[in-house]
Amino acid sequence: MRLETTLNPETGLSRPPIGLALGGGVARGWAHIGALKALIEADIKPDIIAGTSIGALVGGVYLAGKLDVLENWARSLNRRRMMSYMDIRWGGPGLMRGDRLARVLKHYLGGLNIEDLDRKYTAVACDLRTGYEVWLQKGPLIPAVRASYALPGAFDPVKIDGRYMIDGALVNPVPVSACRALGAHMVIAVSLNGDAFGPIGSSHELDVDDDQPEKVDPFNLASQSLNKLRPDRLLLKSMMGATGEGNSPKLGSVMMSTLNIVMDRISRSRLAGDPPDVFVAPRIGHIGMMEFTKADELIERGYRAMQHEIPLIQSVIEVLSQIPSGNSA
């Protein structure tokens, strides 16, 4: 797909191709919706989107023109609805098949192929056998998205072109490198774990109500309304229930905390070697990675974080627009 340049009528110069790297972070990914809304509001249109895990989901839905639909669906989620999408099964490679969530995607995205999108897109996944990073840039969109968010232990690996794929956050949590490889001269990165273990370079200032964020259980998904007669619901409650003081962490807490650590450490290493031009890290570390019901707050925080960086983004675009395209890296 050819990258289109946008001509500035005031300067007569074309702006650089813009890449948007949307990081992984499970439920915290609803913040990407807010970040994209801020870009849309500022009339900043990325030419390339690379997404990892839920970043691949939000980025793909955005390019499919369904961001408003996803936002409305995310805001409508409550604990009971979340449980209804969890198709538990026994003895498989993952706790959930993921078919119910896939049906929701199919309802809104149909049989859309990545090649049908109007801009460059890649979903980052990991080859289960080799551990290699894989960029899914063609074929059906939904399997690519599912492969990118196939968290080991939670979802089944997804077979694409004879290879089993798992969550791309294990190899590239914030895919800046993919954006650059696809031709971006300027990259905006949105990290969902920038303040999970202390900030890693975000210029997003603390808001008044961010000084002392509410502390919550990192895997607080189970509710008192669970049907205690169903074995699958009992399993979920045992795995995902809140961990009280003095008690050992539950399996779900261990899984999410481990993923958090892995993404944080890999992100720090990769971003140090290939930093984005603009780094956006919403203050969402206090929200658990499985708290999908916190869409309202996550979207708002993602919007505010990106909005705070809009002047910097515009400044970088202006500076790079002065560089003749033949001299660009």
PDB file of all heavy atoms in Angstrom, residues 193-204 264 268 279 281 283:
ATOM      1  N   ASN A 193       1.419   0.878  29.971  1.00  0.00           N
ATOM      2  CA  ASN A 193       2.091   0.452  31.201  1.00  0.00           C
ATOM      3  C   ASN A 193       3.175   1.427  31.612  1.00  0.00           C
ATOM      4  O   ASN A 193       4.095   1.076  32.336  1.00  0.00           O
ATOM      5  CB  ASN A 193       2.692  -0.949  31.004  1.00  0.00           C
ATOM      6  CG  ASN A 193       1.649  -1.996  30.705  1.00  0.00           C
ATOM      7  OD1 ASN A 193       0.991  -2.498  31.610  1.00  0.00           O
ATOM      8  ND2 ASN A 193       1.451  -2.314  29.437  1.00  0.00           N
ATOM      9  N   GLY A 194       3.060   2.667  31.139  1.00  0.00           N
ATOM     10  CA  GLY A 194       4.093   3.646  31.407  1.00  0.00           C
ATOM     11  C   GLY A 194       4.259   4.006  32.868  1.00  0.00           C
ATOM     12  O   GLY A 194       5.337   4.432  33.279  1.00  0.00           O
ATOM     13  N   ASP A 195       3.199   3.826  33.662  1.00  0.00           N
ATOM     14  CA  ASP A 195       3.325   4.145  35.085  1.00  0.00           C
ATOM     15  C   ASP A 195       3.038   2.941  35.964  1.00  0.00           C
ATOM     16  O   ASP A 195       2.794   3.077  37.160  1.00  0.00           O
ATOM     17  CB  ASP A 195       2.394   5.306  35.462  1.00  0.00           C
ATOM     18  CG  ASP A 195       0.921   4.947  35.323  1.00  0.00           C
ATOM     19  OD1 ASP A 195       0.608   4.010  34.552  1.00  0.00           O
ATOM     20  OD2 ASP A 195       0.085   5.600  35.972  1.00  0.00           O
ATOM     21  N   ALA A 196       3.105   1.744  35.374  1.00  0.00           N
ATOM     22  CA  ALA A 196       2.841   0.541  36.167  1.00  0.00           C
ATOM     23  C   ALA A 196       3.898   0.336  37.245  1.00  0.00           C
ATOM     24  O   ALA A 196       3.606  -0.080  38.364  1.00  0.00           O
ATOM     25  CB  ALA A 196       2.778  -0.685  35.246  1.00  0.00           C
ATOM     26  N   PHE A 197       5.173   0.633  36.899  1.00  0.00           N
ATOM     27  CA  PHE A 197       6.265   0.491  37.854  1.00  0.00           C
ATOM     28  C   PHE A 197       7.101   1.756  37.902  1.00  0.00           C
ATOM     29  O   PHE A 197       8.306   1.721  38.078  1.00  0.00           O
ATOM     30  CB  PHE A 197       7.148  -0.707  37.475  1.00  0.00           C
ATOM     31  CG  PHE A 197       6.438  -2.016  37.464  1.00  0.00           C
ATOM     32  CD1 PHE A 197       5.958  -2.557  36.285  1.00  0.00           C
ATOM     33  CD2 PHE A 197       6.219  -2.708  38.640  1.00  0.00           C
ATOM     34  CE1 PHE A 197       5.296  -3.759  36.268  1.00  0.00           C
ATOM     35  CE2 PHE A 197       5.559  -3.918  38.638  1.00  0.00           C
ATOM     36  CZ  PHE A 197       5.093  -4.454  37.454  1.00  0.00           C
ATOM     37  N   GLY A 198       6.467   2.883  37.701  1.00  0.00           N
ATOM     38  CA  GLY A 198       7.177   4.145  37.638  1.00  0.00           C
ATOM     39  C   GLY A 198       7.236   4.620  36.207  1.00  0.00           C
ATOM     40  O   GLY A 198       7.283   3.817  35.273  1.00  0.00           O
ATOM     41  N   PRO A 199       7.252   5.926  35.970  1.00  0.00           N
ATOM     42  CA  PRO A 199       7.194   6.472  34.608  1.00  0.00           C
ATOM     43  C   PRO A 199       8.424   6.113  33.798  1.00  0.00           C
ATOM     44  O   PRO A 199       9.516   5.964  34.325  1.00  0.00           O
ATOM     45  CB  PRO A 199       7.097   7.985  34.840  1.00  0.00           C
ATOM     46  CG  PRO A 199       7.673   8.203  36.200  1.00  0.00           C
ATOM     47  CD  PRO A 199       7.317   6.985  36.999  1.00  0.00           C
ATOM     48  N   ILE A 200       8.228   5.958  32.468  1.00  0.00           N
ATOM     49  CA  ILE A 200       9.353   5.657  31.585  1.00  0.00           C
ATOM     50  C   ILE A 200       9.453   6.710  30.487  1.00  0.00           C
ATOM     51  O   ILE A 200       9.723   6.416  29.342  1.00  0.00           O
ATOM     52  CB  ILE A 200       9.244   4.249  30.978  1.00  0.00           C
ATOM     53  CG1 ILE A 200       7.902   4.061  30.241  1.00  0.00           C
ATOM     54  CG2 ILE A 200       9.440   3.192  31.995  1.00  0.00           C
ATOM     55  CD1 ILE A 200       7.802   2.725  29.515  1.00  0.00           C
ATOM     56  N   GLY A 201       9.193   7.959  30.832  1.00  0.00           N
ATOM     57  CA  GLY A 201       9.480   9.017  29.896  1.00  0.00           C
ATOM     58  C   GLY A 201       8.294   9.794  29.399  1.00  0.00           C
ATOM     59  O   GLY A 201       8.437  10.627  28.519  1.00  0.00           O
ATOM     60  N   SER A 202       7.112   9.562  29.933  1.00  0.00           N
ATOM     61  CA  SER A 202       5.956  10.305  29.466  1.00  0.00           C
ATOM     62  C   SER A 202       6.041  11.754  29.922  1.00  0.00           C
ATOM     63  O   SER A 202       6.450  12.054  31.036  1.00  0.00           O
ATOM     64  CB  SER A 202       4.671   9.686  30.008  1.00  0.00           C
ATOM     65  OG  SER A 202       3.568  10.511  29.711  1.00  0.00           O
ATOM     66  N   SER A 203       5.627  12.669  29.058  1.00  0.00           N
ATOM     67  CA  SER A 203       5.574  14.077  29.439  1.00  0.00           C
ATOM     68  C   SER A 203       4.174  14.459  29.908  1.00  0.00           C
ATOM     69  O   SER A 203       3.890  15.627  30.113  1.00  0.00           O
ATOM     70  CB  SER A 203       5.970  14.954  28.250  1.00  0.00           C
ATOM     71  OG  SER A 203       5.097  14.748  27.158  1.00  0.00           O
ATOM     72  N   HIS A 204       3.322  13.452  30.066  1.00  0.00           N
ATOM     73  CA  HIS A 204       1.957  13.721  30.516  1.00  0.00           C
ATOM     74  C   HIS A 204       1.966  14.121  31.979  1.00  0.00           C
ATOM     75  O   HIS A 204       2.365  13.352  32.846  1.00  0.00           O
ATOM     76  CB  HIS A 204       1.082  12.474  30.325  1.00  0.00           C
ATOM     77  CG  HIS A 204      -0.315  12.655  30.829  1.00  0.00           C
ATOM     78  ND1 HIS A 204      -1.020  11.652  31.447  1.00  0.00           N
ATOM     79  CD2 HIS A 204      -1.140  13.729  30.812  1.00  0.00           C
ATOM     80  CE1 HIS A 204      -2.218  12.097  31.773  1.00  0.00           C
ATOM     81  NE2 HIS A 204      -2.311  13.340  31.405  1.00  0.00           N
ATOM     82  N   ASP A 264       6.601  -4.312  30.914  1.00  0.00           N
ATOM     83  CA  ASP A 264       7.347  -3.159  31.408  1.00  0.00           C
ATOM     84  C   ASP A 264       8.827  -3.287  31.086  1.00  0.00           C
ATOM     85  O   ASP A 264       9.446  -2.348  30.562  1.00  0.00           O
ATOM     86  CB  ASP A 264       7.150  -3.030  32.916  1.00  0.00           C
ATOM     87  CG  ASP A 264       7.978  -1.898  33.506  1.00  0.00           C
ATOM     88  OD1 ASP A 264       7.640  -0.729  33.257  1.00  0.00           O
ATOM     89  OD2 ASP A 264       8.977  -2.186  34.197  1.00  0.00           O
ATOM     90  N   ARG A 268      10.823  -0.971  28.222  1.00  0.00           N
ATOM     91  CA  ARG A 268      11.936  -0.096  28.577  1.00  0.00           C
ATOM     92  C   ARG A 268      13.139  -0.361  27.680  1.00  0.00           C
ATOM     93  O   ARG A 268      13.810   0.571  27.219  1.00  0.00           O
ATOM     94  CB  ARG A 268      12.313  -0.285  30.047  1.00  0.00           C
ATOM     95  CG  ARG A 268      11.279   0.257  31.019  1.00  0.00           C
ATOM     96  CD  ARG A 268      11.636  -0.096  32.462  1.00  0.00           C
ATOM     97  NE  ARG A 268      10.582   0.309  33.383  1.00  0.00           N
ATOM     98  CZ  ARG A 268      10.562   1.481  34.014  1.00  0.00           C
ATOM     99  NH1 ARG A 268      11.528   2.356  33.824  1.00  0.00           N
ATOM    100  NH2 ARG A 268       9.577   1.769  34.848  1.00  0.00           N
ATOM    101  N   PHE A 279       5.940  10.204  22.934  1.00  0.00           N
ATOM    102  CA  PHE A 279       5.578   9.087  23.804  1.00  0.00           C
ATOM    103  C   PHE A 279       4.410   9.495  24.700  1.00  0.00           C
ATOM    104  O   PHE A 279       4.485  10.481  25.416  1.00  0.00           O
ATOM    105  CB  PHE A 279       6.779   8.678  24.663  1.00  0.00           C
ATOM    106  CG  PHE A 279       6.523   7.512  25.575  1.00  0.00           C
ATOM    107  CD1 PHE A 279       6.508   6.218  25.066  1.00  0.00           C
ATOM    108  CD2 PHE A 279       6.302   7.697  26.919  1.00  0.00           C
ATOM    109  CE1 PHE A 279       6.290   5.138  25.900  1.00  0.00           C
ATOM    110  CE2 PHE A 279       6.072   6.623  27.765  1.00  0.00           C
ATOM    111  CZ  PHE A 279       6.064   5.332  27.249  1.00  0.00           C
ATOM    112  N   ALA A 281       1.774   8.194  27.652  1.00  0.00           N
ATOM    113  CA  ALA A 281       1.546   7.159  28.669  1.00  0.00           C
ATOM    114  C   ALA A 281       0.454   7.630  29.624  1.00  0.00           C
ATOM    115  O   ALA A 281       0.741   8.325  30.601  1.00  0.00           O
ATOM    116  CB  ALA A 281       2.834   6.862  29.431  1.00  0.00           C
ATOM    117  N   ARG A 283      -2.085   7.924  32.655  1.00  0.00           N
ATOM    118  CA  ARG A 283      -1.924   7.531  34.059  1.00  0.00           C
ATOM    119  C   ARG A 283      -3.007   6.530  34.435  1.00  0.00           C
ATOM    120  O   ARG A 283      -4.040   6.872  34.996  1.00  0.00           O
ATOM    121  CB  ARG A 283      -2.002   8.767  34.954  1.00  0.00           C
ATOM    122  CG  ARG A 283      -0.932   9.811  34.677  1.00  0.00           C
ATOM    123  CD  ARG A 283       0.431   9.360  35.172  1.00  0.00           C
ATOM    124  NE  ARG A 283       1.463  10.361  34.912  1.00  0.00           N
ATOM    125  CZ  ARG A 283       2.683  10.308  35.407  1.00  0.00           C
ATOM    126  NH1 ARG A 283       3.032   9.307  36.179  1.00  0.00           N
ATOM    127  NH2 ARG A 283       3.566  11.246  35.112  1.00  0.00           N
TER     128      ARG A 283
END
